[in-house]
Amino acid sequence: MIFTQKVVDATQVKFAALLEKAGEVKKQEILACLEEAKKTVSEDVIFAIQWIYANSPLSDMANYDFDMFKTCAEHGVMLRETSPFAKDLPEDIFLNYVLHIRVNEEELCDCRKLFHSLLADRVNHLSMHDAIIEANYWNCENVMYQLTDIRTISALGAYNSAYGRCGEESNFGVNVFRAIGIPARQIYTPRWAHCDDNHAWVEVYCDGNWYFLGACEPEEVLNKGWFTNASSRAMLIHSRCFGEIEGEEIISKVGMASFLNNLKLYAVTKKITVVVKDEDGNRVPGAQVAFGILNYSNIFNAAVMTADENGEASLTCGLGSLNIHVKKDGKYCEKLIFTPDQDVVEIVLKTEPIVHDEWQQFVTIAPKDQIVNGAKPTEEQKELCAVKTTAANAKREQRVVDMFDADKANAIVAKYGYSQEIYNVLFDSRSNMANLVAFLEDENYDAHAKEMLLLTLSKKDRRDVNIEILKEALDLTKDFTYEDEDLFYKYVVCPRAYYEPMCKSRQFILDYFTEEQKAAFKADPKSVWTYINETIGFDPTIEYGQITTNPIGALTVKNASPLSKKILFVAICRALGIMSRINMLNQLAEYYVDGAFVPVEVLEKGNCTIIFEKESDETFLYYPDFSIGLLVNGEYQTLDLENEKWDGNQLKINVTSGEYRVITDNRLPNGNLYANKYHFALAEGETKTLKLEKYQANLAEMLDNFALDEFKVHDEEGNVVLGSELTKNKAILMWLEQGKEPTEHILNEMLDQEGDFQELPADIIFMINGKGALENAKVQKVLATFPKIKVYYDSFVPNVETLARRMYVDPDKLPLVIVTTKELNAVYACSGYNVGSGDMLVKICNNF
């Protein structure tokens, strides 16, 4: 056997314990599958299956077929036996970072054999280092960055779509590396300290050490990504591990996952120890200690620990501000600290009186930019990377073109009388187009019904929905009657309740319950919720995070998270023809009665109203400008108001009574935050009107004047143009790296703030490194939107490095953006990825 006896013995115990918690039905199903598998696979594969199960959330066992785990185990064992990269790895590294099927919270899929078949021959003859570099070019050939919703699509879904947000790109990248035998893990900064966002990327294990790289963002060296400087300013960077691992700092364990602290690879760090005491000076073991980062006007708990037997909790963190929140036995308190000033933080656990109805100002400080590990490619490597990345982008773009058949889409719309929206659905579907075409052409179903159903789905659903789920939804609702067609399709026919992976469950639900039970549920939808809570428990120690158990799994293993129970409630109700939903504002499960949705969960307090007000010239966006949280069990739970719209200068929301906290913030160019908080209490039925206020910093005090050296660029005819000529008027100078995520981001912000940039009292000047940049779709869109933009040509060498270093920003990160107020006089610069930079440019240009 290729696995050590110690690991085998420990796995057998852990696997048996998880099986016992899975319920008798699932237990016998898994055992029967294992017995059948033993007829065709080796004992190493059987062990690998058991290890994956034993080190995965119970929901994975409940949600996915045995064959997926078997296939992954077979592939992993093959790699251990034959891969030049995997056969000599430490056992714990191989198990956790090559064999394991799960990366984080993504939908699982059977992808490893496919990725191996497409890539192995390209890399197996290379050194491990070079194989990693080459594999990331392949990643770039197949997936690029694009913002999407919070559901994390599977690695196959990203591959078939050719895009994903950073969490999806990195999940895809990790799966690709593991598929060829290279250990890999997804790395997260839960929130940046210097800008309002988070990010995910990849670490790979190469020749005994971990290195970082951007997912689908190839470089010719490891330990380099656009985020290198940003990560050096992080307060915390972590990863998840589902099995036992040695030599890592474990922050905390959340269900089946250990959170590992990876910050030391990226930033200057220090250890902060929190000591919790009661009012008599005694230490308090078992208190919850949360380390929070202010981001998006919200204090996000980046790490949550339990104080040890000495009442202590320690964290290795960056050199900036942290909000320490402690609670136990109904008492809670918090303290804002600046980590460079303290090694030990003593917290007295007592609930302090809340100051109501006044704004309180506070400031958080972001760490300075201090790179710990950052490789610098040579000029030759940069040139080679540019050539290979251009070729990779071209391959991917051609893949995308080949995915969509416009003639076919138009023909289907015309033949069946679909609206233009169906053409858009097919355009969005990418590689899923053939499946949706088959559904749309299936004449067993009414064309109008098919269109109504498809339009209830998200854009992401269009890329990976299984049409058998759609067919079941139509088959089992066709005899229902309804008064409001839109509500019927959205809240009965639609198979999606929240952001969960969808599955076929209606027929299972209808067969699962007796006729008497179903009649009782229809008569009183609240009885569905009562049934769920009486028959299905939740053991968080065998689950993880936001992974949900699907309705069939929940009814089978009798274990489901609170969110999974709400999804099950909606699934049961819709199977029975009861309109139901999960309210996106407060995540409450609701059903429709007497013309309105009402929560099925018992609410202790009545409805209230909050009316936010602002000045007509102010912009207050929910995230990043303000947030509101409700005090629940000693912590503020942030409300989701992203879909709520301002009506003029008012934003009205309906909430329950209770204690609330509003936070507004003002992000400064140096990354620090000037923030305001406001506490108030709402009694039952009360209305509260609150005018939002920001803690305004003096922009002039934050900026400085920097004299730039003369520099040269060229116009379209090749004539030299001096920097002094470009900056005679107030100007924004941008050196763009078309097609790269940081450049795409600032261009998107310009488009999102079109009105502001159209009226900007400054010249906008793009510097590009060749006419090929003008072929980029996003660049074309921006130039079409803002025809006054001037375009010049520059090789970027040496201008970018010289100017960036003068402005104290990273010369290796693009885009480089510089604001000048007069000839060769700069007041502000940023480089690389900076969320909110568009808003900052508008502020500076309008105030100087």
Side-chain angles (χ1 to χ4, degrees):
M1 195 173 192
I2 62 175
F3 301 102
T4 62
Q5 194 60 45
K6 178 182 178 181
V7 169
V8 170
D9 292 343
T11 298
Q12 296 291 354
V13 172
K14 197 172 182 179
F15 176 62
L18 190 66
L19 272 184
E20 289 302 318
K21 294 187 176 183
E24 193 63 24
V25 172
K26 180 58 70 172
K27 174 184 174 181
Q28 294 305 321
E29 175 191 323
I30 297 297
L31 290 175
C33 289
L34 282 170
E35 287 302 314
E36 185 65 25
K38 288 177 182 178
K39 299 176 183 178
T40 57
V41 301
S42 68
E43 63 176 344
D44 287 318
V45 173
I46 295 298
F47 166 77
I49 295 170
Q50 293 173 328
W51 188 90
I52 297 171
Y53 271 132
N55 293 282
S56 297
L58 178 63
S59 51
D60 285 350
M61 183 183 288
N63 290 347
Y64 299 101
D65 291 340
F66 176 87
D67 284 346
M68 183 184 295
F69 293 86
K70 175 174 171 285
T71 300
C72 187
E74 288 178 307
H75 187 69
V77 169
M78 181 276 293
L79 292 171
R80 188 62 162 172
E81 293 175 335
T82 66
S83 167
F85 314 122
K87 60 185 180 181
D88 296 322
L89 292 170
E91 188 171 45
D92 61 338
I93 296 291
F94 169 77
L95 290 171
N96 285 288
Y97 300 120
V98 175
L99 174 64
H100 209 304
I101 192 172
R102 180 163 288 288
V103 176
N104 193 354
E105 295 180 350
E106 76 283 0
E107 183 175 357
L108 299 184
C109 65
D110 182 5
C111 65
R112 302 280 173 84
K113 286 187 177 180
L114 171 64
F115 293 162
H116 182 270
S117 70
L118 296 171
L119 186 56
D121 289 345
R122 182 166 161 178
V123 299
N124 277 351
H125 65 286
L126 301 173
S127 68
M128 199 170 191
H129 173 278
D130 292 350
I132 293 166
I133 299 296
E134 189 62 27
N136 212 25
Y137 280 110
W138 186 86
N139 291 340
C140 181
E141 291 170 11
N142 289 286
V143 175
M144 67 167 289
Y145 174 83
Q146 185 169 318
L147 186 64
T148 65
D149 68 38
I150 65 172
R151 176 170 71 91
T152 303
I153 203 168
S154 71
L156 267 180
Y159 173 77
N160 290 330
S161 306
Y163 72 87
R165 54 179 167 78
C166 63
E168 294 166 326
E169 279 186 301
S170 51
N171 168 57
F172 167 75
V174 168
N175 271 283
V176 169
F177 287 119
R178 291 184 185 181
I180 57 174
I182 293 173
R185 60 190 180 190
Q186 186 184 59
I187 301 294
Y188 253 103
T189 176
R191 292 292 187 273
W192 293 119
H194 68 284
C195 68
D196 289 321
D197 207 355
N198 61 1
H199 192 53
W201 59 92
V202 175
E203 281 185 2
V204 289
Y205 186 84
C206 178
D207 300 328
N209 293 293
W210 287 101
Y211 299 85
F212 63 83
L213 69 161
C216 312
E217 298 163 0
E219 298 283 353
E220 284 294 309
V221 294
L222 299 178
N223 278 357
K224 178 171 173 54
W226 66 261
F227 51 86
T228 304
N229 284 71
S231 62
S232 78
R233 305 187 69 183
M235 290 301 294
L236 180 66
I237 290 172
H238 62 213
S239 63
R240 282 78 161 167
C241 181
F242 292 90
E244 301 300 318
I245 193 73
E246 296 181 359
E248 299 277 4
E249 179 185 341
I250 299 177
I251 300 171
S252 59
K253 191 169 178 62
V254 180
M256 295 295 286
S258 296
F259 280 61
L260 310 182
N261 195 335
N262 306 101
L263 184 63
K264 287 183 178 179
L265 183 60
Y266 303 90
V268 177
T269 65
K270 73 173 299 182
K271 182 180 179 181
I272 292 292
T273 299
V274 175
V275 179
V276 185
K277 295 183 178 181
D278 63 21
E279 294 182 74
D280 296 324
N282 302 309
R283 298 200 174 206
V284 183
Q288 177 184 291
V289 181
F291 299 83
I293 300 170
L294 181 61
N295 191 285
Y296 282 121
S297 296
N298 179 44
I299 297 174
F300 178 85
N301 289 336
V304 180
M305 299 180 176
T306 301
D308 62 18
E309 64 274 10
N310 297 314
E312 296 183 3
S314 298
L315 178 72
T316 300
C317 60
L319 307 184
S321 297
L322 281 175
N323 188 77
I324 311 297
H325 183 280
V326 179
K327 72 170 187 174
K328 185 181 181 183
D329 299 333
K331 296 181 179 180
Y332 62 93
C333 57
E334 63 183 15
K335 184 176 184 179
L336 183 66
I337 69 166
F338 183 54
T339 62
D341 293 342
Q342 295 181 267
D343 299 312
V344 177
V345 181
E346 186 171 300
I347 300 283
V348 177
L349 182 56
K350 62 178 181 178
T351 301
E352 299 283 358
I354 297 175
V355 178
H356 284 121
D357 300 319
E358 66 177 63
W359 288 104
Q360 299 171 280
Q361 298 176 340
F362 63 104
V363 176
T364 67
I365 308 298
K368 300 293 184 183
D369 189 324
Q370 301 180 76
I371 297 175
V372 172
N373 288 293
K376 291 188 177 296
T378 65
E379 289 304 316
E380 292 77 12
Q381 287 175 322
K382 290 180 181 179
E383 291 174 6
L384 178 60
C385 179
V387 170
K388 294 174 71 174
T389 301
T390 298
N393 288 337
K395 286 184 179 180
R396 186 190 62 253
E397 290 163 4
Q398 187 58 52
R399 276 190 70 220
V400 173
V401 170
D402 293 340
M403 290 175 186
F404 181 61
D405 186 338
D407 291 338
K408 183 70 172 177
N410 279 318
I412 288 174
V413 168
K415 179 177 179 180
Y416 297 98
Y418 293 119
S419 72
Q420 182 63 28
E421 285 297 315
I422 293 301
Y423 180 94
N424 296 336
V425 168
L426 291 174
F427 179 81
D428 292 334
S429 65
R430 296 291 175 101
S431 289
N432 204 34
M433 180 175 177
N435 293 321
L436 291 189
V437 165
F439 176 67
L440 289 165
E441 290 184 325
D442 190 335
E443 296 186 2
N444 292 312
Y445 302 93
D446 176 70
H448 178 69
K450 288 184 286 187
E451 174 164 344
M452 291 294 293
L453 172 55
L454 283 173
L455 294 183
T456 67
L457 303 180
S458 70
K459 286 190 174 182
K460 183 176 288 184
D461 291 334
R462 299 169 182 181
R463 295 190 272 137
D464 67 348
V465 65
N466 183 335
I467 63 171
E468 295 304 315
I469 298 173
L470 304 180
K471 290 179 181 180
E472 183 193 52
L474 292 178
D475 284 334
L476 299 181
T477 58
K478 62 185 179 183
D479 295 327
F480 292 154
T481 59
Y482 55 86
E483 294 181 1
D484 187 311
E485 184 179 60
D486 288 336
L487 289 176
F488 174 72
Y489 277 94
K490 192 171 182 179
Y491 300 117
V492 174
V493 185
C494 179
R496 173 167 301 293
Y498 193 61
Y499 291 107
E500 77 285 1
M502 290 187 291
C503 71
K504 282 179 63 176
S505 64
R506 293 185 194 233
Q507 191 61 61
F508 180 92
I509 289 169
L510 294 174
D511 294 340
Y512 185 88
F513 294 106
T514 65
E515 293 303 319
E516 291 77 13
Q517 285 175 310
K518 288 183 282 189
F521 290 162
K522 290 179 183 179
D524 179 15
K526 288 185 178 180
S527 64
V528 176
W529 187 245
T530 301
Y531 171 87
I532 290 171
N533 285 287
E534 287 178 350
T535 60
I536 297 175
F538 178 52
D539 181 354
T541 66
I542 54 174
E543 289 296 346
Y544 165 61
Q546 293 300 306
I547 296 175
T548 55
T549 307
N550 68 36
I552 295 175
L555 291 171
T556 302
V557 303
K558 305 295 184 184
N559 190 78
S561 67
L563 178 57
S564 300
K565 290 180 180 180
K566 295 173 184 179
I567 292 168
L568 176 59
F569 170 80
V570 171
I572 293 173
C573 285
R574 291 185 184 178
L576 298 173
I578 303 166
M579 284 195 287
S580 57
R581 71 180 187 184
I582 294 176
N583 188 318
M584 292 299 184
L585 174 62
N586 52 26
Q587 285 76 56
L588 293 176
E590 299 177 337
Y591 67 98
Y592 194 77
V593 61
D594 296 332
F597 281 99
V598 297
V600 68
E601 300 164 79
V602 176
L603 299 178
E604 297 179 357
K605 303 171 184 178
N607 289 330
C608 303
T609 301
I610 299 173
I611 302 173
F612 295 109
E613 294 184 338
K614 66 178 183 66
E615 297 293 337
S616 57
D617 60 347
E618 292 179 324
T619 298
F620 274 96
L621 301 176
Y622 198 75
Y623 310 139
D625 296 311
F626 78 105
S627 73
I628 181 170
L630 171 65
L631 185 64
V632 179
N633 297 324
E635 294 181 86
Y636 286 94
Q637 295 185 357
T638 304
L639 306 186
D640 184 357
L641 305 184
E642 286 191 278
N643 294 323
E644 300 297 309
K645 304 297 183 184
W646 284 87
D647 182 7
N649 295 322
Q650 286 192 337
L651 174 63
K652 182 184 295 186
I653 61 171
N654 295 318
V655 297
T656 60
S657 56
E659 286 280 347
Y660 286 88
R661 180 188 66 192
V662 175
I663 295 178
T664 67
D665 70 30
N666 183 19
R667 178 74 67 180
L668 309 186
N670 59 14
N672 298 337
L673 280 167
Y674 278 30
N676 252 337
K677 61 181 178 180
Y678 188 100
H679 294 266
F680 62 92
L682 281 180
E684 184 174 348
E686 186 178 356
T687 295
K688 172 72 174 182
T689 300
L690 176 62
K691 186 177 184 298
L692 295 174
E693 295 182 9
K694 283 192 175 186
Y695 181 4
Q696 295 293 344
N698 187 334
L699 196 58
E701 295 176 356
M702 297 182 292
L703 304 179
D704 207 341
N705 293 293
F706 299 89
L708 302 179
D709 292 334
E710 186 68 87
F711 62 95
K712 300 176 182 178
V713 295
H714 295 84
D715 63 19
E716 189 173 11
E717 287 74 34
N719 301 312
V720 171
V721 180
L722 297 177
S724 54
E725 297 177 51
L726 299 180
T727 57
K728 284 183 177 179
N729 301 319
K730 186 184 300 184
I732 298 176
L733 313 177
M734 294 187 181
W735 281 261
L736 304 179
E737 189 175 22
Q738 71 279 0
K740 293 285 189 176
E741 180 182 345
T743 292
E744 295 272 318
H745 193 91
I746 181 59
L747 296 181
N748 283 330
E749 288 197 350
M750 291 177 65
L751 293 170
D752 291 342
Q753 296 177 254
E754 178 182 348
D756 292 331
F757 277 87
Q758 294 284 17
E759 298 177 3
L760 209 63
D763 295 334
I764 303 176
I765 301 171
F766 284 0
M767 256 66 72
I768 58 176
N769 59 6
K771 292 188 176 181
L774 298 176
E775 298 176 7
N776 177 267
K778 187 58 58 67
V779 172
Q780 289 178 348
K781 184 174 182 179
V782 171
L783 292 176
T785 303
F786 305 103
K788 293 183 180 179
I789 291 177
K790 302 173 184 177
V791 179
Y792 293 92
Y793 298 87
D794 185 17
S795 67
F796 291 13
V797 179
N799 285 341
V800 167
E801 180 163 6
T802 302
L803 294 169
R805 291 195 183 282
R806 180 69 187 94
M807 296 302 299
Y808 300 101
V809 297
D810 186 355
D812 295 324
K813 291 165 56 180
L814 293 175
L816 171 64
V817 181
I818 299 175
V819 179
T820 62
T821 55
K822 56 185 178 180
E823 186 174 311
L824 293 177
N825 184 81
V827 296
Y828 171 81
C830 63
S831 65
Y833 180 83
N834 291 277
V835 174
S837 53
D839 187 53
M840 180 58 63
L841 295 175
V842 171
K843 288 179 180 178
I844 294 171
C845 290
N846 283 327
N847 288 278
F848 284 86

